[in-house]
Amino acid sequence: MRRFSITAQYQVPFVLMVVITGLFAGFLGMESSGKLVEELGDSLFSQVNTDLYHKVHTFLEGPQQINRINASVIGLGGGIPNKTELIRTFFAQLKEVDSVVSIEYADSTNESFGVVRDNFDVAFAYGESGQQTGHTYELYEINDGMVKYDTQLWSLEKYDVRERSWYKNAVEAKTPTWTEIYPWPNGNVGLDAITVIQLPDGRQSVLDASLTLGKIRTFLSNLKSDKVAQLYILEKDGAIVSGTDIESPVNVISEEIFERNYAAQSGSKFLRAAYTAIIADGGMTSAVGKTHQVTIAGEKSYLFQVTKYTDDYGLELYMLVLVPREVILGRATNAMIVTILLTSAAILISVTISYLISNAITKPIAKFASTIKSFAATGNLPELPVATSKEMSGLIDSFKNMSKKIAAQVQQLKEKETYLAWENEKLHSTLESVGEGVIVVDESQRIMLANKLAATLTGYSIISLKGSRLGDVVHLRREDETVSVDDFVSLALAKKKRLETWTRTTIVAKNGIEVPVFCIASPIVLDSGKLLGCVLVIRDITEEQRIDGAKKELLSIASHQLRTPLSTVKWYAELALGKQAENLRAVQKNALKEIKDTNEGMIELVNTLLSASQFELGVFDIQLERIDIHDLVDDTIQFYRKSITDKKLRVEVEFAKDARYYYCDKKLSGIIIQNLISNAVKYSNNDGRIHVTGARDTKHYEITVFDEGIGIAAQDREKMFSRFYRGDAARKHAPEGTGIGLYIVKSVVERCGGTITFKSNERKGTTFVVRFPAKGMKKTSEKK
Amino acid sequence: MNKKVLIVEDDPALAKVIAMSLEELNCALPIAKTGTEAIKLLDESVPDVVILDLLLPAIDGFEVLRYMRANEKLKEVPVIVLTNYSKETARKETLELGANEFVLKTSIHVNEIPGLVSKYL
């Protein structure tokens, strides 16, 4: 998304506004005459009409409202009209509401009464007819609310209100309505608002409030102060109701006979011309809402509009408003020019102010933005702009605070960076100085770190090692079989335990060079238990193996050289004591026997010494396999069968079912078992018992060898496993021992990850307990 | 024709006692004191059994064994390794090279030597 500068965002719309306003003003100028003006005139016309309509409506509603109020008054009185009350109310209403000419009450019992304006509105009269007057209508003068019964204005005998047209109309209509326009006995012409009420006693009452056309004319004349305009109210058929320049809507031919004046024959030239135009337009209904133009000879052109007037009581009239064309256009043009000028001025002012405001807003922001930019680029805090507003001041202050904090944090980060770089350097130097290949992998065995030696051993560069999958670059083999380094590291990760590879493992570099190695996988586990990855240490053991080999060779040669004279003596002595022995004297024979026995002792001593050296030098291998230990014990017992039989020893072997097999080195296990059983046999008294057991639990594999022999004296126990140490009792009991057997056993046991302990009672017997890890022997790198 | 047992042994006293122990077999008992000598004798005539020590000056017993097993004529001749060289791997190695037996000198009675040889005669 493209982003615009804040200045552009603010100012561009203003420039556009100025341009659009200019264009608009130009457009208006071009169209200042003609249609647009006429439409504007229309709109003004329509405003005048709407205004007039509301005023006429308020005026014509007056009589209907009076009826409504009086019906309520009757209703409030329990539905039975109170004559005195009503007359007083009627009179008050008549005096108050100018437009109403008479207010009357009549009912179906032929009772009637009411008040009326008389004598050209100067006086008021009260009229009544009914039982009290013998059904003669009598009209009296009223003064100050009091009926002057002594001043009868006129009377009408055998008056029956029910015969009156307004009464009949009301009963027929049932709802509030108007009578037609009709002449009154007093010479007026008017119309009545009539309402029929059903009284609770079964009577029907009619309320009547009337209006004269003269009243409407007066109203219209007062309404239109501007004499240039003409107003007319017509009925649908063109019958004149009222108008500003019409003397009377009716022609009174005699006291009883009158006729309506019609617009077409009106004395008003305006009304005549307008009505002709209306007829030309298709009649009253279709002329409604349009602006018509009429030209009257010797006069100016007029514009007029027809508005239809209706109310809720069925009245349907038409209002005509005529105004000289020049008046309308003049007003319209003036109004328009004023509007345009004002609008233009307003726009110009607003544009100017907006521009200034936007400038005031955007300039500091733009300046501030460039300051921030410079800060971001250099990291140095430049001089900040002076605040031009409260908001800018707040913004700048916040920025100052923020930039100070950032500067402090940047400083901290720089220090940390330096420290980290140093730490990193340290780590790298450490890694490089380590004499082993070191590879650090993450949990998914992707290489994160490797040192130079690891690169040498794998044949890949440090750079290509990083990010590679461990299994893709580290290829381990053991006895010509591929060993999965992935599985090895996975196991360490899964167990969260340090693991070591077996002996005779080699690493095959990219170029095929194979190097003997010893690998250790150490998972990196946080205190929280979370695994970070694993460190794989690959130790090149070429040199160790070479030294190992040299040591072995030395021992082998030494043993050979030592044994050669021993075997020479052995064989010659044996030979001499063989077939030729009969030629020897007893003394010679004995001497030879001594030589032979001593030689045998020497041979055993050399053998033992060599074994001891072998273990001491650590030049022995552990080859783990599943060994039947029970069998091994049986074989050993078999080997000592002769001594066992001679001493009449009872030997019991008791192995738990799951202890028969153990994952160990057969030869080393043999050395341990053979030594322990040999000792048990050697130091047992005649008829003694030897008990050998095998057992295992989840952690350990255990062999015990118990005898009922001479036991170990308390003072000898500490030195039991020392080289060439022999207790006094042992020396006496078996003088031919070398004192090295237990030393060898202890060496072997410990070198194989086990422990050896014993319990002994002097002269009662000894129990040796050898314990190894349950899963199998394990070569430990250091002699304990 | 008498059988022939070649004794390859650098120690003269031992060579002599071995020969003495084998007298009862009525065999020809040539003795080679070095590996070189052994190969020379082997080239001259094929023996019926070879008693072979391992640690010999210059060409050692392993080389002699290797030479024999690579030689068409000597390939099938039984070889009894009789030595005091007790390196762990020696037994395995010699048997793999084609020796018929590996016996540690100190572990055997002199009277057992004829029986050891006569098995192969």
Side-chain angles (χ1 to χ4, degrees):
Chain A
M1 200 177 114
R2 282 197 62 185
R3 277 178 296 182
F4 298 96
S5 77
I6 196 160
T7 310
Q9 287 181 44
Y10 270 86
Q11 290 180 351
V12 168
F14 289 131
V15 172
L16 285 176
M17 263 172 70
V18 172
V19 171
I20 290 166
T21 310
L23 290 174
F24 182 62
F27 177 74
L28 284 185
M30 283 162 64
E31 296 281 330
S32 62
S33 59
K35 205 186 168 195
L36 188 76
V37 175
E38 276 176 29
E39 279 176 9
L40 213 56
D42 270 4
S43 132
L44 285 173
F45 228 143
S46 131
Q47 269 179 26
V48 171
N49 278 339
T50 308
D51 184 44
L52 277 177
Y53 186 97
H54 285 297
K55 283 173 175 161
V56 169
H57 183 75
T58 309
F59 178 78
L60 291 179
E61 255 241 301
Q64 294 284 4
Q65 270 181 344
I66 282 171
N67 279 352
R68 207 154 55 234
I69 290 163
N70 293 334
S72 302
V73 170
I74 293 168
L76 286 171
I80 305 300
N82 180 328
K83 190 176 171 182
T84 318
E85 184 85 11
L86 277 176
I87 289 167
R88 199 175 293 146
T89 307
F90 287 179
F91 187 55
Q93 289 167 344
L94 199 62
K95 281 209 287 189
E96 194 65 36
V97 186
D98 283 347
S99 57
V100 177
V101 177
S102 70
I103 303 169
E104 282 189 67
Y105 170 88
D107 67 32
S108 50
T109 60
N110 197 21
E111 288 287 329
S112 70
F113 55 86
V115 292
V116 63
R117 287 176 195 277
D118 202 25
N119 207 9
F120 302 101
D121 285 358
V122 177
F124 299 97
Y126 166 75
E128 72 170 305
S129 166
Q131 269 186 327
Q132 206 174 330
T133 62
H135 300 290
T136 297
Y137 190 91
E138 294 171 352
L139 191 73
Y140 301 94
E141 193 180 318
I142 303 177
N143 205 349
D144 297 330
M146 293 297 293
V147 179
K148 291 181 178 175
Y149 286 104
D150 54 335
T151 319
Q152 194 179 63
L153 296 174
W154 54 264
S155 66
L156 190 65
E157 279 179 26
K158 293 177 185 170
Y159 181 82
D160 190 344
V161 75
R162 295 167 300 188
E163 297 293 313
R164 291 280 152 174
S165 61
W166 57 270
Y167 184 93
K168 285 188 203 166
N169 282 345
V171 173
E172 269 172 33
K174 291 184 178 142
T175 55
T177 187
W178 291 98
T179 63
E180 291 182 350
I181 294 167
Y182 69 102
W184 294 350
N186 67 356
N188 274 335
V189 179
L191 68 166
D192 300 11
I194 41 177
T195 296
V196 64
I197 315 165
Q198 200 66 45
L199 296 182
D201 57 9
R203 282 183 292 168
Q204 250 178 355
S205 295
V206 172
L207 287 166
D208 175 308
S210 70
L211 195 62
T212 59
L213 299 186
K215 279 283 179 195
I216 296 174
R217 182 173 168 273
T218 311
F219 165 72
L220 290 182
S221 303
N222 291 339
L223 201 64
K224 197 61 215 156
S225 56
D226 189 347
K227 297 296 175 198
V228 289
Q230 306 294 330
L231 268 76
Y232 303 96
I233 295 177
L234 302 180
E235 287 186 280
K236 194 181 178 178
D237 58 358
I240 298 164
V241 175
S242 188
T244 44
D245 67 341
I246 302 168
E247 280 302 311
S248 171
V250 289
N251 287 319
V252 181
I253 294 163
S254 68
E255 206 169 301
E256 296 289 324
I257 304 160
F258 77 106
E259 61 182 21
R260 297 290 299 272
N261 276 331
Y262 285 85
Q265 291 88 42
S266 167
S268 163
K269 53 189 174 188
F270 299 115
L271 183 55
R272 269 206 314 275
Y275 195 72
T276 309
I278 288 167
I279 294 304
D281 197 22
M284 208 64 101
T285 315
S286 63
V288 172
K290 296 172 186 166
T291 304
H292 297 81
Q293 184 168 331
V294 288
T295 309
I296 295 157
E299 300 272 346
K300 301 159 186 171
S301 286
Y302 282 80
L303 293 176
F304 79 90
Q305 274 195 346
V306 181
T307 307
K308 187 178 182 180
Y309 174 90
T310 54
D311 69 5
D312 294 342
Y313 314 103
L315 197 61
E316 189 181 314
L317 298 170
Y318 293 85
M319 288 165 50
L320 270 72
V321 181
L322 278 92
V323 184
R325 188 176 185 267
E326 57 183 25
V327 174
I328 288 282
L329 289 190
R331 280 194 185 177
T333 316
N334 285 342
M336 192 177 73
I337 289 166
V338 168
T339 307
I340 290 171
L341 279 177
L342 284 177
T343 310
S344 304
I347 289 171
L348 203 66
I349 290 166
S350 74
V351 164
T352 311
I353 291 172
S354 303
Y355 178 79
L356 290 175
I357 290 173
S358 75
N359 240 358
I361 295 171
T362 61
K363 258 195 187 160
I365 292 177
K367 202 172 169 195
F368 189 47
S370 75
T371 306
I372 293 175
K373 225 184 252 175
S374 135
F375 175 65
T378 63
N380 298 322
L381 189 59
E383 200 174 321
L384 289 166
V386 178
T388 52
S389 66
K390 204 173 148 191
E391 288 79 2
M392 275 307 288
S393 156
L395 189 59
I396 289 171
D397 283 349
S398 306
F399 177 72
K400 272 184 193 164
N401 287 335
M402 186 189 76
S403 55
K404 269 183 203 159
K405 280 182 191 161
I406 289 176
Q409 279 174 357
V410 165
Q411 185 55 36
Q412 272 183 11
L413 281 176
K414 276 181 184 167
E415 282 166 14
K416 276 186 186 162
E417 202 176 13
T418 314
Y419 177 73
L420 280 177
W422 180 73
E423 281 281 299
N424 209 17
E425 188 62 33
K426 210 166 73 171
L427 175 67
H428 271 274
S429 324
T430 310
L431 269 184
E432 291 311 333
S433 61
V434 164
E436 280 120 9
V438 178
I439 292 176
V440 182
V441 294
D442 63 15
E443 230 183 320
S444 61
Q445 304 207 15
R446 214 158 270 285
I447 296 174
M448 300 193 292
L449 210 64
N451 66 356
K452 226 180 264 174
L453 220 57
T456 311
L457 286 169
T458 55
Y460 291 89
S461 69
I462 292 179
I463 293 167
S464 54
L465 280 179
K466 278 183 190 170
S468 296
R469 275 195 51 82
L470 185 66
D472 293 343
V473 289
V474 175
H475 305 286
L476 298 182
R477 289 169 70 79
R478 182 173 183 250
E479 290 176 345
D480 297 332
E481 278 178 28
T482 302
V483 174
S484 164
V485 70
D486 281 348
D487 291 350
F488 177 57
V489 171
S490 293
L491 193 64
L493 284 171
K495 290 194 162 183
K496 294 187 178 176
K497 258 172 82 176
R498 176 190 148 111
L499 285 186
E500 293 168 5
T501 49
W502 312 267
T503 48
R504 291 188 298 285
T505 301
T506 56
I507 187 166
V508 185
K510 196 179 164 193
N511 55 12
I513 291 176
E514 200 163 347
V515 169
V517 289
F518 174 67
C519 299
I520 301 167
S522 287
I524 311 166
V525 187
L526 295 182
D527 289 344
S528 62
K530 188 182 157 49
L531 261 181
L532 283 187
C534 188
V535 179
L536 180 68
V537 176
I538 308 167
R539 186 195 297 159
D540 179 350
I541 55 168
T542 311
E543 189 60 16
E544 287 174 34
Q545 283 199 341
R546 197 187 63 74
I547 294 168
D548 238 35
K551 285 181 193 168
K552 281 180 190 169
E553 195 61 29
L554 184 76
L555 277 181
S556 306
I557 291 166
S559 68
H560 184 266
Q561 300 304 86
L562 283 171
R563 278 174 187 145
T564 298
L566 290 173
S567 47
T568 310
V569 172
K570 175 182 158 76
W571 282 347
Y572 277 102
E574 283 169 357
L575 206 61
L577 287 168
K579 288 166 195 164
Q580 288 92 344
E582 58 206 44
N583 302 325
L584 297 173
R585 282 188 286 162
V587 177
Q588 290 171 318
K589 219 175 189 175
N590 280 337
L592 272 174
K593 248 185 187 164
E594 278 302 322
I595 291 168
K596 184 187 171 278
D597 288 349
T598 309
N599 193 59
E600 288 296 334
M602 284 291 285
I603 290 172
E604 199 184 330
L605 179 63
V606 167
N607 283 345
T608 314
L609 276 174
L610 288 171
S611 306
S613 312
Q614 209 176 6
F615 296 118
E616 202 146 68
L617 290 168
V619 290
F620 64 95
D621 281 338
I622 298 179
Q623 290 189 52
L624 297 182
E625 51 188 325
R626 193 165 170 264
I627 301 296
D628 187 335
I629 301 292
H630 194 288
D631 246 21
L632 205 59
V633 169
D634 284 347
D635 287 352
T636 311
I637 291 165
Q638 200 53 48
F639 185 81
Y640 292 104
R641 184 49 60 197
K642 192 172 178 293
S643 305
I644 290 167
T645 313
D646 289 351
K647 283 185 160 181
K648 296 176 192 158
L649 298 176
R650 193 152 42 92
V651 181
E652 296 157 1
V653 178
E654 191 187 332
F655 268 70
K657 256 187 188 173
D658 60 353
R660 185 174 193 113
Y661 295 96
Y662 182 56
Y663 200 61
C664 59
D665 183 287
K666 189 175 182 181
K667 193 179 154 199
L668 297 174
S669 304
I671 288 171
I672 296 161
I673 289 165
Q674 190 230 312
N675 269 289
L676 292 178
I677 291 177
S678 145
N679 278 351
V681 171
K682 204 182 284 174
Y683 300 111
S684 277
N685 298 311
N686 288 349
D687 302 317
R689 184 172 71 98
I690 293 172
H691 191 70
V692 182
T693 67
R696 71 156 78 225
D697 59 22
T698 51
K699 285 184 177 173
H700 300 109
Y701 181 82
E702 191 179 275
I703 302 277
T704 63
V705 179
F706 162 81
D707 68 62
E708 292 178 340
I710 57 170
I712 301 159
Q715 71 269 20
D716 294 334
R717 283 174 198 165
E718 238 177 73
K719 300 168 187 166
M720 273 306 289
F721 296 110
S722 302
R723 255 173 298 188
F724 310 118
Y725 183 82
R726 299 194 73 206
D728 289 343
R731 261 184 241 269
K732 275 182 212 161
H733 194 89
E736 77 280 7
T738 57
I740 206 157
L742 280 178
Y743 169 72
I744 291 174
V745 169
K746 190 172 161 71
S747 295
V748 171
V749 167
E750 290 181 349
R751 285 304 190 94
C752 295
T755 57
I756 180 164
T757 54
F758 66 90
K759 278 184 218 160
S760 186
N761 282 325
E762 212 174 341
R763 289 186 294 277
K764 284 194 176 165
T766 307
T767 306
F768 280 93
V769 181
V770 178
R771 239 179 215 181
F772 285 107
K775 285 177 183 170
M777 278 186 175
K778 193 177 158 195
K779 185 174 181 179
T780 56
S781 46
E782 293 301 318
K783 194 189 159 197
K784 282 181 189 169
Chain B
M1 205 181 122
N2 279 349
K3 302 267 183 181
K4 196 199 292 180
V5 176
L6 174 64
I7 300 164
V8 184
E9 175 59 66
D10 66 328
D11 187 281
L14 275 176
K16 198 177 167 190
V17 77
I18 292 166
M20 282 166 77
S21 75
L22 292 174
E23 269 171 8
E24 60 184 73
L25 296 175
N26 290 317
C27 297
L29 297 166
I31 292 170
K33 290 191 180 70
T34 65
T36 321
E37 208 180 323
I39 287 169
K40 194 184 153 207
L41 289 176
L42 285 167
D43 283 345
E44 282 169 15
S45 66
V46 179
D48 296 288
V49 174
V50 174
I51 291 175
L52 182 67
D53 192 10
L54 288 176
L55 282 192
L56 304 167
I59 296 175
D60 66 13
F62 294 97
E63 285 303 313
V64 175
L65 187 56
R66 237 175 247 126
Y67 175 81
M68 285 179 71
R69 293 309 178 223
N71 189 307
E72 200 56 43
K73 285 194 287 176
L74 302 166
K75 218 156 90 179
E76 303 296 330
V77 176
V79 175
I80 296 160
V81 173
L82 187 63
T83 184
N84 272 322
Y85 184 71
S86 61
K87 195 177 173 184
E88 284 174 342
T89 51
R91 175 190 294 270
K92 198 181 167 209
E93 208 177 320
T94 49
L95 293 178
E96 271 172 13
L97 283 172
N100 299 66
E101 225 157 313
F102 182 96
V103 180
L104 213 56
K105 284 171 184 164
T106 48
S107 70
I108 190 176
H109 193 282
V110 76
N111 290 347
E112 292 175 89
I113 301 174
L116 207 60
V117 176
S118 61
K119 280 197 284 185
Y120 300 99
L121 287 174

